[in-house]
Amino acid sequence: MVEKVKARVQELLASGKVKGFIGLRELHGHIGPYLFTDGGDLDGFVIGDRKAAGDTRYPLNTQLIMISRQYPEETLGVLVRGCDERGLKTLFNTNQLKPEKVVSVGIACPQELADVCECMKPFPEEFVAGEASEARPFGSVERIESIEIGERLKVWLGEFAKCIKCYGCRNICPMCYCPECTLEAKDFQAVGSIASENPIFHLTRALHMAGRCIDCGLCSEACPADIPLRTLYKKIADIVDLEFQYRPGYQDSKGKMSPNVLGEAAKH
Amino acid sequence: MEYRTVLTTCTYCGCGCGFYLEVLDGRVVGTIPCKTNPVSEGKLCVKGWNVHEFIHSPKRLTQPLLRKDGALTPVSWDEALDFTAKRMREIKEANGSDSVAFLASAKVTNEENYLIQKFARAAVGTNNVDHCARL
C-alpha cells in the first residue's frame, strides 16, 4: 500500500508539480510529520499505520497551512485520508488554503479504522491506495443519548471535570486556525489566571466546532484525560446538519456549501 | 523552504514527554506531541504544548553573568566556574559542608543528575540534594 503512495509522491516531486510533500516519516522508531522535498529521497515514508491502522495520524493540514503562509506562491502536496480531505475542502471554503496550490494524495482507511472512528466517509474522493470501506453511524452519540437526560448531564460534567486545561484539543485541531482563540482572548480570559471553568470551556469549544469539525478525532486522541470530545463534536455536527443541511467537507467536490445552508432557522 | 520536525523530550519536568519541535526555515515555530512516545502517547500538558515559545525569547540567558559592582556582567564560562568554585570552597571551609545545598534539575539528563548528587556527596560532603521537579 505504501509503495503505491510513494510512487505517486515521487512522481509529483520529480515532475516539479509540487515543491514539497507533507507526509509522515518514520525515523529511529518514531513517526511524525515531515516535509519531503526530494523525490529521490523518500526514506522512512509511511502512511501512519504503526501497530494498528491509522494509529499515528497527525494534523498534516496544520503543517500545510503554516508552510503555505510562508510560501504562498508554491504548490504543496499533502497526504490525506477521508477526514483530511473534508478538512481541505472546508479550509478552501474558509480561505485558509488555495485549492490551486494544493495537491492531495489520498489513501482509503481500512474497515477496522472506519469502525473505530465511526467515520461517515472513510476515504477521499480519489485515492491511490487502499479500498473504500463502509461508512459507520455515530454509535457513540446514540449510546450517550440513550442515557436519561439528568444522568447524561452528570456523565458529561464528570467527563469535563477531568480536564487539565492543556488546550491539546484546540492545539491539535487541524480546523482551529483562528489568529485569536476565544478560549484565551483577553476579553474573556485574564492573563495569568486559570482557563475558564467547566463546562463553559468545553461548550465554548464545542460551539466553535459547529460547521467546522470534520470528525478526524485527533482531539480525543490528544486528550490526556480521555474526555470523549469526538462524541461531543459528532453531536454538534448532527445538529448543524439537521438545522442547516450542512456537514463540513461532505459537500460537492468544489467544497461549496449547499444553497440552503441557513436552513429553517433563517425563516425564524 | 526547509521544514523539519525534531524529536526531543520536554524540559519542563521529570515526566519525559516526547514531542516534535517544528522548525521552519531555522526557527522553532511549534510543538507536536509524539504519538509513538511510550510515556506521553501523543498527549501533553499546557506547558509542554508551549515549550517552543521560550526558545527564541530575547529574555533567555545565553551566557554566564557575574554581579560586579552591583551590575550583572557577562563573563566567560571559565571565570564563572572559577568564581563559583572559589566561593563554594570558602563557604564550606567557614561554615561546614552542610552550609551548601545542591538543586538538581528535571531539565537535564539522568546522568547529569547522577553527577550532581555524586559531586554533592563525595566532593563537598553533604546530603543536601533536592531538585526542581517537586510536582
Side-chain angles (χ1 to χ4, degrees), chain B residues 25 57 62 75 81 89 93 98 106 110 113 116-117 121:
Chain B
D25 295 330
S57 169
T62 53
V75 295
L81 289 170
R89 200 186 301 268
E93 280 168 9
D98 281 339
N110 278 336
N113 275 323
I116 198 173
Q117 66 81 33
R121 294 185 223 276

Side-chain angles (χ1 to χ4, degrees), chain A residues 192-203:
Chain A
S193 70
I194 293 176
S196 52
E197 69 269 42
N198 305 336
I200 296 302
F201 182 92
H202 308 89
L203 297 182

Side-chain angles (χ1 to χ4, degrees), chain A:
Chain A
M1 185 160 163
V2 67
E3 290 308 317
K4 285 183 187 166
V5 186
K6 272 172 89 167
R8 175 79 180 124
V9 173
Q10 192 170 21
E11 176 199 323
L12 284 172
L13 284 168
S15 66
K17 281 180 192 154
V18 300
K19 179 84 174 175
F21 185 86
I22 301 156
L24 299 169
R25 186 176 69 152
E26 182 164 0
L27 186 68
H28 308 312
H30 292 282
I31 295 173
Y34 191 75
L35 178 72
F36 294 91
T37 51
D38 178 358
D41 181 15
L42 295 179
D43 288 350
F45 188 103
V46 291
I47 55 171
D49 303 337
R50 192 170 178 246
K51 288 180 180 164
D55 62 351
T56 47
R57 297 180 301 129
Y58 284 87
L60 299 180
N61 286 344
T62 303
Q63 278 85 57
L64 178 62
I65 291 174
M66 182 168 67
I67 300 170
S68 294
R69 282 186 181 156
Q70 197 72 15
Y71 294 92
E73 301 306 317
E74 303 292 357
T75 301
L76 293 165
V78 64
L79 182 70
V80 299
R81 294 172 184 267
C83 49
D84 302 309
E85 187 187 64
R86 297 195 289 277
L88 275 184
K89 285 184 189 175
T90 310
L91 292 165
F92 294 152
N93 249 342
T94 49
N95 296 321
Q96 300 304 309
L97 287 167
K98 292 190 179 107
E100 66 273 19
K101 295 290 181 192
V102 177
V103 178
S104 60
V105 174
I107 53 172
C109 294
Q111 194 64 54
E112 72 176 282
L113 182 57
D115 290 352
V116 172
C117 286
E118 301 176 340
C119 186
M120 288 177 68
K121 188 169 176 287
F123 49 88
E125 272 164 32
E126 288 176 26
F127 48 90
V128 296
E131 285 178 18
S133 301
E134 283 177 35
R136 289 287 183 253
F138 292 174
S140 57
V141 174
E142 277 177 33
R143 278 193 295 282
I144 202 145
E145 289 198 316
S146 69
I147 303 172
E148 184 271 324
I149 191 149
E151 193 58 31
R152 202 189 314 159
L153 180 64
K154 279 188 203 157
V155 169
W156 278 116
L157 292 179
E159 293 290 351
F160 296 150
K162 298 189 294 185
C163 177
I164 63 165
K165 301 287 164 63
C166 69
Y167 283 75
C169 49
R170 191 273 315 260
N171 293 340
I172 203 75
C173 181
M175 305 311 290
C176 271
Y177 50 75
C178 298
E180 187 179 27
C181 176
T182 303
L183 293 175
E184 56 187 10
K186 288 192 184 71
D187 292 340
F188 297 97
Q189 194 62 57
V191 173
S193 70
I194 293 176
S196 52
E197 69 269 42
N198 305 336
I200 296 302
F201 182 92
H202 308 89
L203 297 182
T204 302
R205 187 172 143 71
L207 288 176
H208 287 208
M209 284 293 102
R212 197 183 281 198
C213 174
I214 42 85
D215 191 26
C216 68
L218 291 175
C219 48
S220 282
E221 291 180 14
C223 181
D226 289 331
I227 301 170
L229 296 162
R230 190 174 196 174
T231 304
L232 184 65
Y233 306 149
K234 278 176 187 284
K235 178 62 187 173
I236 293 282
D238 277 349
I239 295 170
V240 172
D241 195 16
L242 182 72
E243 294 292 333
F244 303 104
Q245 294 78 55
Y246 176 63
R247 209 177 264 277
Y250 288 96
Q251 265 55 42
D252 66 47
S253 59
K254 289 185 185 121
K256 293 253 167 47
M257 284 189 184
S258 51
N260 56 344
V261 65
L262 292 178
E264 291 300 307
K267 295 175 191 165
H268 294 173

